[in-house]
Amino acid sequence: MFLHIGENVIIRKKDIIAIIDKETINDSKDTNKFIQNMIENGYLYTKNNENIKTYIITCIKKRDSKNRQYAKEYRLYTSNISSTALSNR
């Protein structure tokens, strides 16, 4: 199954680790630091900085054809849809 998070972005539901409301990030120093660290390290996949309501963290397993091992790729998405609406989809 897939989840449409707005701005013509669709992600697989099985790859989602967390759906975090922006207000929660503003209230928690640790969560805010974690999100800022992900942004600074280049994990931000969507560049939408207007009207952000939700952050979505995903982990995608990719197989390396040379080593035949799996590697994890983390991504941070932003959405202008509320976390409640995304969770209900």
Side-chain angles (χ1 to χ4, degrees):
M1 298 295 280
F2 294 92
L3 177 66
H4 180 264
I5 61 169
E7 305 269 333
N8 292 326
V9 178
I10 299 172
I11 55 179
R12 292 189 323 192
K13 283 187 176 182
K14 74 175 194 169
D15 295 336
I16 296 174
I17 294 174
I19 298 175
I20 307 170
D21 187 48
K22 184 178 180 183
E23 296 300 321
T24 303
I25 292 170
N26 293 337
D27 293 343
S28 172
K29 290 180 184 179
D30 293 332
T31 308
N32 190 4
K33 189 175 180 180
F34 176 74
I35 294 295
Q36 292 303 320
N37 189 25
M38 287 190 77
I39 293 170
E40 290 170 4
N41 289 322
Y43 291 111
L44 183 63
Y45 192 73
T46 54
K47 302 296 181 190
N48 177 19
N49 292 328
E50 296 179 18
N51 197 20
I52 296 173
K53 293 183 181 177
T54 307
Y55 290 94
I56 300 131
I57 302 171
T58 63
C59 178
I60 302 167
K61 286 176 88 175
K62 290 188 172 185
R63 187 170 184 195
D64 186 8
S65 59
K66 292 180 182 178
N67 299 337
R68 294 188 175 160
Q69 294 180 351
Y70 288 99
K72 293 180 180 179
E73 179 180 322
Y74 294 96
R75 291 183 181 176
L76 176 67
Y77 293 90
T78 59
S79 177
N80 58 356
I81 302 171
S82 72
S83 59
T84 306
L86 289 173
S87 296
N88 290 335
R89 290 184 177 185

